[in-house]
């Protein structure tokens, strides 16, 4: 019985090779050289075990293979090969060193994949870090600009108390913003004049109307010496002033921004949606932030009060020079506030043109200094006291063509009781306010062109009575003024 018992994987039981123990000569049957599977018939050159043996070969088949010369078989079984005096290093995966590979035997594509995976991890980590740094810097800049803005909550509270007497908006998507240039001499502004206890008046006031379709913007200057009805207002020490007929900039001195807004609303019938108050330093810094604004002077300027000395001709003004230029009055023209307002309008037009033509509004790198300068000296109502609110406002204006950014002064004339004061010219002023209130267009032309057009119109009406035979569409009201597209050096 014992002689018939065979090993399932080898020859019959043998005293020298008990069942279950594999002969030494089959050490590579289970695992051949790299890339060669057992039983595929491949032999390694020079290997004593290179005979083509397949898994499942019987012992009888092995015995029939002719022995190598000089070798003798015993009991019909192939003898064990002679030991190699200089055996080759064990192959990867051999029984003597299962799964062990040298660095040279490692597949090259695996090395490349490992290196690529390594660099991908580091690249992703570095990119994540840069994103976090950029996000942090962006957030810091946003908070800095946002924190520069001062919110005027007292004006909002007083306007709310007088809500019943305020005008009702006619066109909801249009925006009417009151821009106030403060002439306070307190703090950093003391170099521009005497500080009379911190009191201030509105040196420049502009009613800015943004059309609902955002295709035009009209800025109307309101003379500070214009005689108007000022309502009863509340002062800083919580006292109530009397209603009075006096010059316009007194409203800001008595009751601040809220009193000025209520005065403008009573005079124009236009609902003021927002307001901004900018002091001298804010204007200077904005001009410096855009690298100056170019103007042309027909004559040299030497104004000691305005700290201004400029030659005639084309030149670029920095912030300090620009402030003196828009505030100078005694040594320029006839010394009137009327000419000064026209000069302010022309300069603001040149500033807007510079910002749009140089891509400042579309370039974050160049826009940041402008926003930083503007927000540092800006006081607004709660509806415009965040950088997001200001951005939405600027974004709505950046596509307005420069020729549709118009500047004019409300129609006025010397006050009949005091030539040093102004009064509104009616019905011209009322027509202008009605156009803006109803969001209808207005047109502006230089003063000399407007005068010639008016003379031509009067001549036609006097000399040709048959011209009135047919009615024409209502013409767009035209006023003396300028646009941001005008070149100051060609006038």
């Amino acid at each position: 019985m014992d002689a018939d018992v065979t090993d399932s994987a080898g020859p019959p039981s043998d005293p020298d090779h008990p069942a279950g123990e594999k002969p030494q000569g089959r050490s590579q049957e289970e695992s051949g050289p790299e890339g060669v599977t057992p039983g595929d018939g491949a032999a390694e050159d020079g290997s004593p075990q290179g005979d083509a043996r397949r898994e499942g070969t019987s012992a009888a088949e092995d015995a029939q293979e002719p022995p190598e010369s000089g070798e003798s078989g015993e009991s019909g079984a192939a003898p064990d090969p002679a030991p190699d005096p200089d055996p080759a290093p064990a192959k990867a995966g051999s029984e003597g060193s299962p799964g062990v590979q040298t660095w040279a035997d490692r597949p090259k594509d695996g090395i490349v994949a490992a290196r690529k995976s390594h660099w991908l991890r580091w690249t992703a980590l570095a990119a994540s870090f840069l994103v976090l740094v950029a996000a942090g810097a962006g957030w810091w800049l946003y908070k800095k600009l946002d924190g520069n803005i001062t919110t005027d909550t007292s004006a909002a509270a007083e306007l709310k108390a007088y809500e019943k007497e305020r005008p009702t908006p006619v066109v909801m998507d249009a925006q009417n913003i009151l821009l106030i240039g403060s002439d306070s001499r307190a703090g950093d502004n003391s170099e521009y004049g005497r500080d009379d206890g911190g009191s201030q008046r509105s040196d420049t006031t502009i009613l800015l109307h943004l059309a609902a379709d955002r295709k035009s913007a009209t800025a109307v200057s309101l003379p500070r010496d214009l005689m108007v009805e000022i309502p009863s207002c509340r002062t800083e020490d919580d006292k109530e002033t009397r209603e009075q007929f006096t010059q316009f900039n007194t409203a800001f001195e008595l009751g601040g921004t809220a009193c000025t807004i209520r005065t403008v609303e009573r005079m124009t019938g236009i609902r003021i949606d927002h307001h901004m108050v900018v002091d001298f330093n804010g204007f200077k810094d904005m001009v410096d932030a855009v690298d100056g604004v170019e103007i042309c002077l027909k004559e040299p300027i030497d104004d000691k009060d305005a700290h201004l000395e400029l030659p005639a001709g084309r030149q670029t003004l920095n912030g300090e020079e620009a402030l003196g230029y828009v505030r100078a009055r005694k040594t320029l023209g006839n010394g009137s506030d009327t000419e000064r307002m026209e000069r302010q309008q022309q300069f603001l037009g040149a500033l807007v043109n510079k910002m749009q033509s140089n891509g400042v509004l579309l370039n974050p790198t160049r826009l940041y200094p402008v926003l930083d300068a503007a927000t540092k000296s800006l006081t607004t109502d709660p509806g415009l006291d965040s950088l997001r609110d200001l951005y939405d406002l600027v974004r709505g204006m950046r596509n307005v063509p420069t020729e549709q950014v118009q500047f004019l002064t409300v129609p006025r004339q010397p006050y009949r009781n005091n030539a040093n004061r102004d009064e509104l010219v009616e019905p011209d002023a009322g027509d202008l306010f009605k156009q803006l209130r109803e969001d209808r267009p207005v047109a502006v032309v230089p003063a000399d062109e407007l005068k010639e057009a008016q003379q031509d119109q009067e001549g036609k009406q006097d000399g040709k009575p048959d011209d009135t035979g047919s009615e024409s569409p209502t013409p767009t009201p035209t006023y003396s003024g300028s646009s941001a597209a005008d070149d100051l050096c060609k006038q």
Side-chain angles (χ1 to χ4, degrees), residues 349-368:
L351 176 60
V352 171
N353 194 16
K354 177 73 176 287
M355 294 179 67
Q356 287 196 348
S357 62
N358 285 13
V360 174
L361 298 179
L362 300 177
N363 187 337
T365 303
R366 300 198 63 188
L367 181 60
Y368 174 78

Side-chain angles (χ1 to χ4, degrees), residues 169-203:
V170 177
V171 181
M172 299 303 296
D173 291 333
Q175 291 280 313
N176 296 294
I177 305 172
L178 197 64
L179 309 176
I180 302 174
S182 169
D183 70 347
S184 170
R185 301 306 196 274
D188 294 337
N189 294 327
S190 59
E191 61 181 289
Y192 303 108
R194 179 177 57 86
D195 180 8
D196 49 359
S199 66
Q200 56 183 0
R201 295 188 181 185
S202 53
D203 185 71

